C-alpha cells in the first residue's frame, strides 16, 4: 500500500535495508551514522516507524549479495547498497528489479550500462573530478602565494608522492588524475617521486609512507603528499611522527572527517575537501523513504537528476575550518 500514512491507522513500519562495503571505513561509518540520524528525525517528524537495517559487507561481494538477497526475500521497501565491487551491480539490479524493490547505490558508483538496466536504480555520490580539482587548487594556491612554503629545494617544481585509494574505485583514479592536472594546469611543474595504493586505510598509508621516508631518493625530497582521502593523509602524518620528523611537507586529503579537521587545526594537515557524508546520507535516506512511501522522489530530493544525485564538495583549510564545523 503506497498511501501516505494517516493519523488514524498505525501503518506497518517502513523497512529500509542498507549494506556497507566495509563498516570500519571511516568515511562510510560516518555516513552510516548520519543515515540513522535521518531515520530518527523522520520517525519523529512524520510519526512513523522506520526500521533501518544496516549490515556490514566486510569487503566481500559474496557476503553482500547474500545480504541483498535476504532484504529482497523479506520484502524490504527499499535497499541501499554501498557495493564492495562496483562492477558487480548488474546482478543486484536484476534481482531488485525482479522483486520490484528500488535500489539506491551510493559512494561506489556502478558503471552506466548497469544503471541503465532499470530506472528504479539510483546513485547518490559526489563528482570525483571536482574533489581532485579542489585538492589540487589548495596546493597551487599555496604555491602561487608562498612558493617557499611548498618548493623547499627552490627548483621551481613540486616534488610529490601520491597515496591512492582502492584500485578500481572511481574516486581513486580520478582524484589522482585531477589533483595533478589542476596543479600543472596552473602553470606549476611537478615531479612524481612515488605513488602507491593504501586502499583508503590509515595503517596501510603509514606503512607505505614509512618506506618512502627511509628511501633517500624519496623521503628528504618530498614537498607535497597528495592523498586520495583523509585517513591515508593522517597515516602519512603518523609515519612522519614515527620517523621523528617534525618539519612536515604540505599534506592534503579529501573527506574532512573529524580527525582530519583536528589535524588542520593543529597544523599538520594543510587542507582537505569536504566529501559531504551528511548531505549524501540525507539524499540516500530521503530517496529511500520517498520510494518506500510512494511519494514524489523529485520533490523529496530536489537534487535528483534522472537516476543520479550529486552532492557538491567544499575546500577546507585553516582559513575556514572553524566556521564550517562547530567541533
Ligand atoms: C572516500 C574514502 C572512502 C571511500 C570508500 C571515498 O569517497 O573519500 O574516504 O574510504 O569512499 O568507498
Ligand atoms: Ca621543488
Amino acid at each position: 500500500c503506497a498511501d501516505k500514512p494517516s493519523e488514524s491507522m498505525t501503518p506497518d513500519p517502513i523497512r529500509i535495508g542498507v549494506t556497507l562495503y566495509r563498516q570500519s571505513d571511516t568515511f562510510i561509518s560516518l555516513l552510516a551514522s548520519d543515515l540513522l540520524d535521518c531515520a530518527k528525525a523522520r520517525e519523529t517528524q512524520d510519526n512513523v516507524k522506520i526500521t533501518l537495517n544496516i549490515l556490514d559487507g566486510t569487503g566481500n561481494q559474496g557476503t553482500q549479495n547474500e545480504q541483498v538477497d535476504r532484504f529482497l526475500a523479506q520484502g524490504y521497501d527499499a535497499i541501499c547498497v554501498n557495493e564492495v565491487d562496483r562492477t558487480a551491480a548488474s546482478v543486484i539490479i536484476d534481482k531488485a528489479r525482479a522483486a520490484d524493490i528500488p535500489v539506491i547505490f551510493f559512494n561506489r558508483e556502478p558503471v552506466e550500462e548497469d544503471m541503465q538496466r532499470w530506472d528504479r536504480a539510483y546513485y547518490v555520490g559526489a563528482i570525483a573530478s571536482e574533489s581532485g580539482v579542489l585538492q589540487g587548487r589548495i596546493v597551487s594556491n599555496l604555491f602561487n602565494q608562498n612558493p617557499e612554503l611548498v618548493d623547499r629545494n627552490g627548483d621551481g617544481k613540486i616534488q610529490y608522492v601520491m597515496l591512492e585509494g582502492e584500485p578500481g574505485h572511481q574516486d581513486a583514479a580520478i582524484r589522482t588524475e585531477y589533483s595533478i592536472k589542476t596543479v600543472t594546469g596552473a602553470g606549476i611543474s611537478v615531479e612524481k617521486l612515488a605513488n602507491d595504493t593504501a586502499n583508503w586505510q590509515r595503517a596501510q598509508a603509514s606503512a607505505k609512507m614509512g618506506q618512502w621516508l627511509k628511501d633517500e631518493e624519496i623521503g628528504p625530497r618530498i614537498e607535497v603528499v597528495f592523498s586520495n582521502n583523509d585517513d591515508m593523509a593522517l597515516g602519512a602524518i603518523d609515519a612522519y611522527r614515527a620517523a621523528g620528523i617534525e618539519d612536515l611537507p604540505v599534506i592534503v586529503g579529501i573527506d574532512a572527517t573529524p580527525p582530519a579537521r583536528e589535524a588542520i587545526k593543529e597544523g599538520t594537515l594543510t587542507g582537505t575537501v569536504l566529501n559531504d557524508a551528511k548531505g549524501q546520507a540525507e539524499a540516500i535516506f530521503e530517496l529511500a523513504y520517498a520510494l518506500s512511501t510512494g511519494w514524489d522522489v523529485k520533490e523529496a530530493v530536489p537534487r535528483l537528476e534522472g537516476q543520479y544525485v550529486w552532492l557538491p564538495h567544499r575546500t577546507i583549510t585553516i582559513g575556514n575550518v572553524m566556521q564550517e564545523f562547530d567541533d
Side-chain angles (χ1 to χ4, degrees):
C1 160
D3 282 345
K4 192 168 168 173
S6 76
E7 314 263 312
S8 57
M9 55 177 190
T10 12
D12 288 340
I14 287 163
R15 286 182 308 163
I16 299 171
V18 181
T19 157
L20 308 175
Y21 96 93
R22 196 165 52 77
Q23 184 137 33
S24 60
D25 180 290
T26 305
F27 175 76
I28 293 301
S29 70
L30 288 168
L31 198 153
S33 89
D34 289 332
L35 275 174
L36 287 168
D37 291 346
C38 292
K40 269 192 214 118
R42 264 281 156 229
E43 280 193 318
T44 319
Q45 202 177 322
D46 291 1
N47 192 24
V48 285
K49 178 89 190 80
I50 301 169
T51 304
L52 190 69
N53 190 359
I54 303 184
L55 302 179
D56 184 358
T58 65
N60 183 321
Q61 190 57 58
T63 303
Q64 184 165 63
N65 286 347
E66 284 164 20
Q67 294 170 342
V68 167
D69 288 346
R70 256 179 284 139
F71 287 144
L72 298 176
Q74 290 166 12
Y76 271 59
D77 296 293
I79 58 172
C80 309
V81 183
N82 174 222
E83 275 175 297
V84 174
D85 173 1
R86 71 187 190 96
T87 64
S90 61
V91 181
I92 294 174
I93 294 174
D94 290 351
K95 284 181 184 169
R97 180 179 171 174
D100 198 30
I101 295 172
V103 52
I104 300 155
F105 293 97
F106 61 97
N107 170 260
R108 301 163 73 95
E109 187 186 345
V111 293
E112 219 182 311
E113 296 89 278
D114 288 346
M115 289 294 288
Q116 284 165 0
R117 299 171 87 91
W118 194 30
D119 62 358
R120 303 229 306 151
Y122 296 86
Y123 177 71
V124 175
I127 295 178
S129 58
E130 185 183 68
S131 55
V133 168
L134 293 180
Q135 185 186 56
R137 226 176 261 162
I138 297 173
V139 174
S140 63
N141 286 346
L142 198 61
F143 185 94
N144 287 331
Q145 285 154 13
N146 269 312
E148 66 286 351
L149 282 185
V150 187
D151 183 16
R152 296 181 171 220
N153 67 356
D155 69 349
K157 273 191 215 166
I158 294 178
Q159 277 73 27
Y160 75 92
V161 294
M162 178 73 70
L163 286 165
E164 298 164 1
E166 245 179 298
H169 191 303
Q170 80 279 348
D171 288 339
I174 297 176
R175 285 174 181 171
T176 297
E177 179 188 346
Y178 279 82
S179 59
I180 298 305
K181 253 195 193 164
T182 303
V183 173
T184 55
I188 303 166
S189 314
V190 297
E191 180 188 348
K192 181 167 76 186
L193 301 176
N195 69 295
D196 208 344
T197 178
N199 294 304
W200 304 121
Q201 297 179 35
R202 184 166 178 161
Q204 285 188 30
S206 170
K208 189 52 46 189
M209 194 70 208
Q211 286 170 13
W212 290 340
L213 288 178
K214 274 193 210 124
D215 186 328
E216 275 173 24
E217 297 295 307
I218 304 174
R221 299 179 65 212
I222 298 173
E223 295 174 338
V224 176
V225 178
F226 288 93
S227 174
N228 285 172
N229 78 346
D230 283 346
D231 255 18
M232 296 188 296
L234 294 169
I237 295 169
D238 295 341
Y240 274 98
R241 280 216 178 102
I245 303 169
E246 273 169 34
D247 187 18
L248 299 183
V250 169
I251 302 177
V252 285
I254 290 176
D255 283 338
T257 60
R261 272 132 58 180
E262 278 315 304
I264 290 178
K265 289 182 205 159
E266 131 204 314
T268 50
L269 184 67
T270 312
T272 186
V273 177
L274 175 71
N275 186 8
D276 189 359
K278 197 159 173 260
Q280 291 173 41
E282 268 163 25
I284 296 161
F285 179 78
E286 290 305 324
L287 207 49
Y289 185 64
L291 290 162
S292 303
T293 50
W295 293 354
D296 187 70
V297 281
K298 183 74 192 155
E299 219 169 279
V301 183
R303 278 188 200 279
L304 183 67
E305 298 166 35
Q307 292 164 259
Y308 290 85
V309 183
W310 299 111
L311 273 294
H313 293 96
R314 281 202 303 282
T315 303
I316 307 294
T317 61
I318 192 65
N320 67 348
V321 69
M322 319 273 190
Q323 292 92 290
E324 291 273 348
F325 307 95
D326 42 60
D327 50 28

